[in-house]
Amino acid sequence: MTAARSPQTVDIRPATPADVSIMYALVQELATYEKLSHEVTGTPEALRENLFGDRPYAEAVVARAEGAVAGFALFFHNFSTFLMQPGLYLEDLYVRPAFRRQGVGTALLNHLAELAVQRGCGRFEWSVLEWNQPAIAFYQRMGAEVKPDWRICRVSGPRLAHFGAELD
């Protein structure tokens, strides 16, 4: 295991439209790491519209370290009926390999947790692939509870357009 090095500083700021091309590249890097490149069907234009258009659906922050873009996090609000409070859902967090084990991921998670508290959220949550043991161990060290009893349900593509049709 390599020793962690600390960058001079980690600067986290809200993403702007000028960041769309680098965020799109980071999404592609993340998909490659997760062995899911075949699932990236969106475009930079769609990312721009959904983050910065008339009706933004998500937000993002960009992390810079050592003068370069080191990673990003994309998130949005959800709602807990049990807590009767909004939550913050982290859709994706990605740190480039050259910046891992330098505090960038920790800084991104801490930033979002602080944002969740500031916004009155009752929880901050995300999903992790079960094979990604380095990420799971990192999240647990940060204090996250990995919920073993929950599974993600997803409907997308043509199935979404025809959801429930088989029941008729």
Side-chain angles (χ1 to χ4, degrees):
M1 182 182 305
T2 58
R5 342 178 253 130
S6 296
Q8 303 267 331
T9 60
V10 177
D11 176 48
I12 298 174
R13 62 167 176 74
T16 68
D19 295 314
V20 167
S21 62
I22 189 65
M23 288 190 332
Y24 185 77
L26 293 171
V27 167
Q28 291 178 315
E29 289 179 30
L30 170 63
T32 298
Y33 174 75
E34 291 182 340
K35 301 171 184 68
L36 296 171
S37 294
H38 61 283
E39 291 192 19
V40 178
T41 60
T43 64
E45 294 77 20
L47 182 61
R48 178 183 309 278
E49 179 63 27
N50 288 301
L51 289 179
F52 306 108
D54 292 338
R55 185 173 180 185
Y57 289 97
E59 299 174 65
V61 293
V62 175
R64 294 183 63 87
E66 300 174 4
V69 173
F72 85 110
L74 190 139
F75 59 97
F76 54 88
H77 286 278
N78 57 14
F79 190 81
S80 168
T81 53
F82 287 8
L83 297 177
M84 304 296 169
Q85 286 181 277
L88 198 68
Y89 187 83
L90 173 60
E91 178 65 23
D92 283 318
L93 181 143
Y94 179 71
V95 175
R96 288 186 147 160
F99 295 97
R100 292 182 187 154
R101 301 188 52 79
Q102 296 183 43
V104 176
T106 300
L108 282 164
L109 285 173
N110 283 336
H111 178 84
L112 294 179
E114 290 171 11
L115 189 62
V117 170
Q118 290 170 7
R119 293 181 180 184
C121 295
R123 60 172 67 146
F124 171 38
E125 58 192 353
W126 59 93
S127 300
V128 60
L129 292 166
E130 64 183 20
W131 61 260
N132 195 346
Q133 291 303 313
I136 291 169
F138 169 64
Y139 298 146
Q140 289 174 322
R141 283 193 309 273
M142 291 284 300
E145 174 188 7
V146 177
K147 306 288 278 181
D149 299 331
W150 291 87
R151 299 290 183 260
I152 296 170
C153 297
R154 178 177 295 157
V155 182
S156 59
R159 289 183 182 164
L160 179 59
H162 303 291
F163 187 69
E166 293 83 31
L167 299 176
D168 293 341

